[in-house]
Amino acid sequence: MAYNRGMTASDTHRQCDLAIVGGGAAGVLVALQALRHAERPSRIVLFEPASVLAEGIAYATPWPEHLLNVPAGKMSGLPDQPADFLDYLIDSEAIADVPREVLAEQFVPRRHYAAYLRQRLEQARERSVAVLEVVEQPVFALVPHAQGVQLRLDDDVTWSAQRVVLACGNSMRPLPVPGADALPPAQAVEAWDYDGVRVLAGDDDLAIIGSGLSMADSVVALAAAGHRGRIFVLSRHALLPLPQAHGASVTFDPQPLLAMSLRQRMRELRAQADAAVARGIPWQSVMDRVRPMGQALWLSLSEADQRRFLRHVVRYWDVHRHRIAESVHAQVAELERRGQLQRHRARLDTLLVQESGLQLHGRSPDGGLPPLTVGAVINATGVETHALSMRNPLIRQLLADGHARPGPHGLGLDTTVEEGGLIDGHGQPQPAIRVVGSLRIGTLWESLAIPELRVQAEQAARRSLG
């Protein structure tokens, strides 16, 4: 792409109208919308240290076995063009010889999505009155001031922006065991190190910590690379993601859920799922029916019920809400049926380095988990959501300097509900800084998937250049 990439330390014109921090899917969607909606010449600068845009954690995989968890027809990055991703797949011939109506229902490889976002960004750049530049450096500090926000990079380089959008994306939780950081890289691999996971394939037994979406990614990657050893999956609940399904839609009105308590809502959803199955309709259609109301459902819960949800319900909600392609689920289930994949409901307690490999000790509810000896462990514990545990230096700086505070229940950063304005340590919104994506989880809960990201990106872009 023909972007102006980076500035030197001697550049004296480090000012911009809009600074976007983060160049994964969320940041690229903001840049795309800013270019589309700019009504006057503006300078937009996107800060992203990675050399390739749009390849955040979710979409960086080059491997065909890693599929989108949503059918292609529902993955448009543009709220006003719901079939845009589908149009891209057909026009670019990324998926050949598949009829449009069939392709719309398919779960295509995730690698296509980053390419789609980059192409749409380039097209918007060519048509826009605004200019987009990419600075391949991380931002280590943000300091609001009367005229906007100062951004500090390394080597004392600073920028000044009238508006900033934080789109930092996701980071993995560390392995929940002392000493994990000291393990050799070949024995402890992040699930989002897609190439690193494949390298582990062989005859040795392996352990995956966590049983969610990242676990499924790791399992299908190991299978594709010809892994022959056993795969031990350890997690507190040992619940696997459930599959998507095709079938008729339910028609019940979900609006009454908003007035119910958490307990009432769960009973109602179970009743609706049972009724759907009795009529030959997949239970998944009930979750699809309430999917657009995810943020409203969270915001309408009392604080006490939100806490109960996080303590008792969240893992069961996740496996029903964040489902995987049917083919991926079938592959994981078959490996478990054959005994190559073994689930253990247990907390990882200790990791010991021995000549024979790593010895894992876990605590299970019945106390019956024997030590497991494996060649390596894969960290699939998922996205870090607690602000005070995030390892991003910029997030730590914002919290330490009082420019931000943790969101409700300590999740993400606190923001205004409607506009995503960052709220500082004194509870005051900062109009020059808006937040997009996973950092808004405590306020909105549903804030990680493309349907939320594309709306937030458009809103942030319009308001930041308005």
Side-chain angles (χ1 to χ4, degrees), residues 362-389:
R363 287 176 290 167
S364 62
D366 60 6
L369 179 66
L372 302 172
T373 300
V374 298
V377 61
I378 298 171
N379 177 15
T381 53
V383 174
E384 180 58 75
T385 55
H386 287 84
L388 297 179
S389 298

Side-chain angles (χ1 to χ4, degrees), residues 130-153:
V131 174
L132 173 65
E133 304 169 19
V134 177
V135 174
E136 293 183 359
Q137 295 184 56
V139 176
F140 290 105
L142 294 179
V143 182
H145 54 78
Q147 288 73 42
V149 183
Q150 184 184 76
L151 296 85
R152 295 178 182 169
L153 285 60

Side-chain angles (χ1 to χ4, degrees), residues 177-242:
V177 61
D181 292 342
L183 291 175
Q187 290 185 302
V189 175
E190 302 282 348
W192 293 331
D193 178 1
Y194 299 109
D195 292 338
V197 169
R198 273 177 155 255
V199 169
L200 298 178
D203 294 316
D204 288 345
D205 293 339
L206 301 171
I208 301 177
I209 311 304
S211 60
L213 301 179
S214 298
M215 176 279 302
D217 274 351
S218 297
V219 169
V220 297
L222 290 168
H227 183 63
R228 296 171 295 278
R230 291 175 294 180
I231 302 171
F232 303 118
V233 175
L234 279 70
S235 75
R236 288 177 56 195
H237 297 90
L239 297 173
L240 300 182
L242 295 170

Side-chain angles (χ1 to χ4, degrees), residues 63-79:
W63 300 106
E65 64 266 19
H66 292 140
L67 306 181
L68 292 171
N69 295 323
V70 177
K74 298 180 180 180
M75 282 293 291
S76 171
L78 305 177

Side-chain angles (χ1 to χ4, degrees), residues 16 169 391 397:
C16 60
R391 292 175 282 181
Q397 176 267 325

